[in-house]
Amino acid sequence: MAVASMVLGIVGMLISCCLYPITIILSIIGLILGAVAIKKGPAGKGMAVTGIVLSVISLAVAVLFIILMAAAGSSSVWDALDELSLFIK
């Protein structure tokens, strides 16, 4: 379970800016698996903690992109970034 948590955290980090709905699902599963692995015993505790940390970071990035899109009133991340960059200039 610790290895699965770490793998889901890594995958979540890699796809967090493009496939954010999938990232949210993977991150939640990674958090659950990491917590269960830590409660089971000391074996793989480092990987479980790494999986939890990566899952939290990827979840935060995905939520940030959703907030960014909602603020820009767009359905695409790239359109939202383009619209917000007009306000910054």
Side-chain angles (χ1 to χ4, degrees):
M1 286 191 195
V3 174
S5 173
M6 191 171 73
V7 168
L8 288 174
I10 291 170
V11 170
M13 288 294 294
L14 292 175
I15 65 171
S16 62
C17 64
C18 302
L19 301 171
Y20 45 88
I22 296 172
T23 300
I24 292 173
I25 295 168
L26 293 179
S27 297
I28 292 172
I29 293 171
L31 284 170
I32 293 169
L33 289 176
V36 170
I38 287 176
K39 288 191 180 222
K40 272 192 154 186
K45 185 177 180 182
M47 286 189 286
V49 170
T50 303
I52 290 172
V53 169
L54 289 174
S55 294
V56 167
I57 293 171
S58 62
L59 185 63
V61 169
V63 169
L64 180 70
F65 273 105
I66 291 172
I67 291 170
L68 175 72
M69 288 186 331
S74 175
S75 62
S76 169
V77 173
W78 307 118
D79 291 340
L81 288 173
D82 189 39
E83 288 178 23
L84 288 177
S85 67
L86 293 176
F87 295 121
I88 294 173
K89 290 180 183 178

